[in-house]
C-alpha cells in the first residue's frame, strides 16, 4: 500500500467530494471475487482509459480489484478517510 498511498489519497478525496465513499466501500466488500472481472474489463479498456485516467491509476486500480489484501486495505483506508 505504501507505494500506492498517494493514489489512494486522491481517490478518497474524489469519492468523498462526490459523496459516494460509503457506496464504493460497500460495493468493494460485497463484490468479492467478482472484482476480478472488473480488473479484466480495465485491462481490455486500457488503451482507451490511458488517455483519460492519470498515469499509474489503472495499474493500482487493477491491483486493488485483483488482490483481496489490497482491496481490504483500500476499503479500510477509504472508511478511515471518511471519518477524518
Amino acid at each position: 500500500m505504501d507505494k500506492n498511498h498517494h493514489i489512494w489519497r486522491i481517490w478518497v478525496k474524489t469519492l468523498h467530494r462526490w459523496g459516494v465513499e460509503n457506496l464504493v466501500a460497500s460495493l468493494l466488500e460485497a463484490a468479492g471475487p467478482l472484482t476480478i472481472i472488473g480488473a479484466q474489463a480495465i485491462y481490455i479498456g486500457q488503451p482507451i482509459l490511458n488517455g483519460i485516467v492519470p498515469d499509474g491509476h489503472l495499474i493500482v486500480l487493477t491491483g486493488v480489484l485483483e488482490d483481496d489484501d489490497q482491496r481490504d486495505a483500500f476499503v479500510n483506508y477509504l472508511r478511515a478517510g471518511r471519518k477524518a
Side-chain angles (χ1 to χ4, degrees):
M1 196 285 284
D2 294 333
K3 64 183 178 179
N4 303 328
H5 184 76
H6 68 286
I7 293 175
W8 287 9
R9 187 177 15 207
I10 293 167
W11 294 351
V12 169
K13 286 180 182 179
T14 302
L15 294 171
H16 179 68
R17 190 171 352 121
W18 293 345
V20 295
E21 67 276 7
N22 191 43
L23 175 64
V24 170
S26 296
L27 286 173
L28 285 171
E29 289 174 328
L34 294 176
T35 56
I36 293 174
I37 296 170
Q40 295 305 311
I42 291 170
Y43 286 128
I44 291 169
Q46 197 167 10
I48 295 168
L49 295 173
N50 273 336
I52 300 168
V53 179
D55 287 342
H57 285 242
L58 290 177
I59 297 300
V60 174
L61 179 57
T62 55
V64 167
L65 294 175
E66 290 178 328
D67 185 306
D68 292 341
D69 293 334
Q70 279 193 50
R71 186 172 53 250
D72 292 343
F74 177 69
V75 167
N76 290 334
Y77 186 76
L78 181 57
R79 292 193 189 278
R82 188 180 68 228
K83 295 174 188 169

